[in-house]
């Protein structure tokens, strides 16, 4: 799954909002999956997602499911 795909959204930008997403990462070495939530102060770009996922990818995990927007608050 590419980060370009997960950064696209059709939502209008709202100031002072928090965008909360749900996603799953998997470690293919041991088939361990983790269901995660990510929050951003604006609609995340590919760079935002890359920075957020760096800690997981550094430990052998990779994105398993495209993030789904849960809520904007």
């Amino acid at each position: 799954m590419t980060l370009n795909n997960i950064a696209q959204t059709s939502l209008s930008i709202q100031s002072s909002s928090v965008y909360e997403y749900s996603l799953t990462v998997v470690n293919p070495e041991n088939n361990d999956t983790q269901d995660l939530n990510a929050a951003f102060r604006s609609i995340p770009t590919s760079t935002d997602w890359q920075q957020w996922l760096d800690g997981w990818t550094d430990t052998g995990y990779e994105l398993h499911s495209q993030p789904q927007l849960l809520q904007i608050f």
Side-chain angles (χ1 to χ4, degrees), residues 13-73:
I13 297 174
Q14 300 175 15
S15 61
S16 301
S17 296
V18 174
Y19 298 80
E20 183 181 13
Y21 293 82
S22 172
L23 64 142
T24 301
V25 294
V26 63
N27 184 328
E29 202 171 291
N30 59 13
N31 207 33
D32 180 45
T33 60
Q34 298 290 319
D35 295 322
L36 308 172
N37 285 7
F40 299 92
R41 289 196 153 285
S42 61
I43 296 174
T45 65
S46 295
T47 302
D48 294 332
W49 277 111
Q50 184 61 53
Q51 291 172 349
W52 194 92
L53 288 167
D54 276 349
W56 288 97
T57 56
D58 288 349
T59 57
Y61 285 83
E62 55 191 46
L63 191 60
H64 182 262
S65 67
Q66 185 166 345
Q68 300 296 312
L69 182 63
L70 294 176
Q71 63 181 337
I72 301 171
F73 55 96

